[in-house]
Amino acid sequence: GIEIDGFTPVSLAERNVMLDINEMNDNVMLLDIGAGNTDIGVFEGNGFIYTNTIPLGGDSITSDIQMVLNISEEEAEKLKRQYGLAMKSYIDNDNEIVLNTVEDAKNKVIKSSELIEIIEARIEEIFSLVNKDIVSQGIKQRINNVVLTGQGITNINKSDVAGKVILNIPVKISTGRLISTI
């Protein structure tokens, strides 16, 4: 008995929460990298000019870690959160990590740089696909700034730097706006 009035793209709905006052009036790409998808929303001032979804996100990173290192999904997610770094060039200490592999009874030891290489490769792919999409749509040159949001990536350090390097557009992680419910 419910009638649907219409659909609203995620990026359009998030705009009012994720962008600050200055960003609301700028030419901005809102990039929401969630668990399963990356949602692209491009705004020119108050105008919504483009949206698309790429079927990769934070779960893709976790899955890569799980498969490459032959560990459980739970351990892969834990490692992603604990050692999450988007670019190997920012490693401070190349620590050893003890893994509980799925098939072996004994533990396996890797360097944190090996884990970060896996994370970096998928993040690079996500940003490269976004870049390819906005270039093919002819809108990249109209974008002044990128605002990055989403639980799939905002917990990974230097993800904004990786985005800036690949997209060649200034990227920042969303701080959002405080919204009162009173």
Side-chain angles (χ1 to χ4, degrees):
I2 296 175
E3 288 186 31
I4 298 173
D5 286 340
F7 295 96
T8 301
V10 170
S11 299
L12 186 56
E14 287 181 329
R15 177 179 183 263
N16 294 325
V17 176
M18 296 299 162
L19 301 183
D20 67 28
I21 299 301
N22 294 327
E23 293 161 347
M24 295 280 278
N25 298 312
D26 197 1
N27 294 355
V28 173
M29 177 168 63
L30 182 60
L31 197 56
D32 182 350
I33 302 178
N37 294 310
T38 297
D39 292 312
I40 302 168
V42 180
F43 302 89
E44 282 187 343
N46 290 323
F48 185 50
I49 64 167
Y50 181 70
T51 187
N52 197 6
T53 299
I54 294 171
L56 295 173
D59 287 350
S60 305
I61 298 168
T62 304
S63 180
D64 291 349
I65 295 168
Q66 177 186 2
M67 290 175 54
V68 171
L69 300 179
N70 191 30
I71 58 177
S72 70
E73 181 181 354
E74 294 78 22
E75 187 172 4
E77 183 66 27
K78 185 181 107 191
L79 289 174
K80 179 179 79 173
R81 291 184 184 281
Q82 185 175 352
Y83 294 93
L85 184 61
M87 300 174 75
K88 197 169 83 166
S89 58
Y90 283 93
I91 292 175
D92 287 331
N93 298 314
D94 199 5
N95 301 324
E96 289 189 343
I97 302 171
V98 179
L99 304 175
N100 299 314
T101 59
V102 174
E103 295 172 2
D104 301 330
K106 60 183 180 167
N107 293 334
K108 178 180 175 183
V109 178
I110 65 163
K111 292 284 197 181
S112 58
S113 58
E114 295 175 64
L115 170 65
I116 293 164
E117 272 183 29
I118 298 165
I119 296 169
E120 182 177 26
R122 184 60 80 174
I123 288 174
E124 184 177 311
E125 179 186 23
I126 291 169
F127 282 120
S128 294
L129 289 170
V130 168
N131 190 57
K132 183 178 178 182
D133 186 53
I134 60 176
V135 166
S136 72
Q137 294 299 316
I139 57 174
K140 180 176 180 175
Q141 69 280 1
R142 295 162 65 182
I143 300 168
N144 296 334
N145 293 293
V146 176
V147 177
L148 191 59
T149 187
Q151 289 300 310
I153 195 138
T154 54
N155 295 328
I156 298 177
N157 293 323
K158 303 297 181 189
S159 54
D160 54 335
V161 177
K164 183 178 186 221
V165 167
I166 296 165
L167 297 171
N168 198 27
I169 303 171
V171 176
K172 75 166 216 163
I173 295 177
S174 173
T175 54
R177 294 188 294 147
L178 293 175
I179 296 178
S180 175
T181 57
I182 298 174

